[in-house]
Amino acid sequence: MLARLRSSTLLRVLLALVALGFLAYGVARTWDETSKALSAMSPASVLAALAAVLAGQLCMVLAWRRILAGLGSPLPLRMAGRIMFVGQLGKYIPGTVWAYAAMMELGRSQGSPPTRTFATISLGLLVNLGVALGLAAATAQQAFAGAWYLLLLIPLIIVCLHPRVLTWGLNLALRLARREPLESVLPGRALLVAVAWTALGWACWGLHIWLLGGSGYPVSTGAFAFAWASGLLVFFIPSGVGVREGALVVVLGPLIGAPVALAVGIVSRLVFTLSELLMAGLFFLLGRQSSSSAAVYEAQNGSGSTALTPERNRSGSPGS
């Protein structure tokens, strides 16, 4: 079944439409209460929520950039942001392969070999998932009442984040994809810094749910972390649409009412989409402005050993 999901774009689109259908049904069934909850949200709270999400997005790209630098491709923030946010727009196309492909190609244009960018994307998702599940387990234990098995992922992710285990797993994936292995192991310090930035990003993302009407800041953070992780794990539905909102209702519904929780989920989705478009547009413009003054060469044979990045001079040695 999973093989068919990966190979069939039509099937993934149909599943996404089914998820949207359930979401629309939930809105229609409680329209009076949901519309009241939506109208009760002030523009100021929505704008504050957008600011919190944007702050969280900035923390996430700083974590992503630290992983990329730890693997051997130190890039300016404007270039790392362009790779991450512009490339991530591909996730709205059914199948995660499009986002991966776009980010790897953007990384190549900045001197980061595809294998290194692939490893950074995969590790960034793993760190994000681990932090999200850890926060949810610490602040919203009720979320796991019907999904206790997700708790088993936390110790598994911790083990997988050990540098040696991590490098072995990534090289195995690269070998299966017929790619060159990684040239170096991600330093433990780089991983810890990335985890710290990710946790700070989640603190901002939890704040946006509370601002939209969630029940207390800790519970709001845990509820959204659980909802986000649920949407990520249902990978065959583009961007987890419908799944994230449904999981948010499951956790927050008993506390603030299902219609209010559904309204929070809907506005949260809109705020996140707007934030991703804003960040993609911002870093696209910043990247274009810098590309004219920074000479960048593609790596030979995908190794990246001779890549010329803004941190290297033309001889390939660190710039002064």
Side-chain angles (χ1 to χ4, degrees), residues 56-71:
Q57 299 282 27
L58 181 60
C59 292
M60 296 304 178
V61 74
L62 288 170
W64 196 87
R65 175 177 177 252
R66 189 65 186 90
I67 295 171
L68 187 62
L71 290 175

Side-chain angles (χ1 to χ4, degrees), residues 147-185:
W148 58 267
Y149 47 86
L150 292 181
L151 290 171
L152 301 178
L153 291 176
I154 298 176
L156 179 61
I157 290 173
I158 293 174
V159 171
C160 289
L161 287 177
H162 186 280
R164 293 189 180 276
V165 177
L166 177 65
T167 304
W168 176 84
L170 288 173
N171 282 336
L172 176 62
L174 289 169
R175 187 161 59 249
L176 293 174
R178 298 181 179 179
R179 295 277 186 176
E180 293 292 325
L182 292 172
E183 305 94 336
S184 60
V185 177

Side-chain angles (χ1 to χ4, degrees), residues 15-190:
L15 286 171
L17 291 175
V18 170
L20 282 172
F22 277 110
L23 178 61
Y25 172 74
V27 173
R29 188 168 59 88
T30 60
W31 174 244
D32 290 340
E33 296 89 345
T34 303
S35 60
K36 289 179 182 178
L38 288 170
S39 61
M41 291 184 188
S42 66
S45 65
V46 176
L47 287 175
L50 176 60
V53 172
L54 288 171
Q57 299 282 27
L58 181 60
C59 292
M60 296 304 178
V61 74
L62 288 170
W64 196 87
R65 175 177 177 252
R66 189 65 186 90
I67 295 171
L68 187 62
L71 290 175
S73 289
L75 293 178
L77 178 60
R78 61 182 180 274
M79 305 314 302
R82 188 182 191 194
I83 295 169
M84 178 176 170
F85 289 113
V86 176
Q88 271 190 353
L89 295 180
K91 72 182 181 179
Y92 291 101
I93 303 173
T96 54
V97 64
W98 300 110
Y100 266 77
M103 294 171 76
M104 288 166 68
E105 186 58 34
L106 287 168
R108 184 201 299 271
S109 70
Q110 301 305 320
S112 176
T115 55
R116 203 173 289 165
T117 308
F118 172 86
T120 302
I121 301 168
S122 302
L123 182 52
L125 283 174
L126 186 64
V127 169
N128 226 328
L129 180 61
V131 172
L133 289 175
L135 283 173
T139 59
Q141 296 87 351
Q142 67 273 22
F144 297 92
W148 58 267
Y149 47 86
L150 292 181
L151 290 171
L152 301 178
L153 291 176
I154 298 176
L156 179 61
I157 290 173
I158 293 174
V159 171
C160 289
L161 287 177
H162 186 280
R164 293 189 180 276
V165 177
L166 177 65
T167 304
W168 176 84
L170 288 173
N171 282 336
L172 176 62
L174 289 169
R175 187 161 59 249
L176 293 174
R178 298 181 179 179
R179 295 277 186 176
E180 293 292 325
L182 292 172
E183 305 94 336
S184 60
V185 177
L186 180 70
R189 178 178 174 81

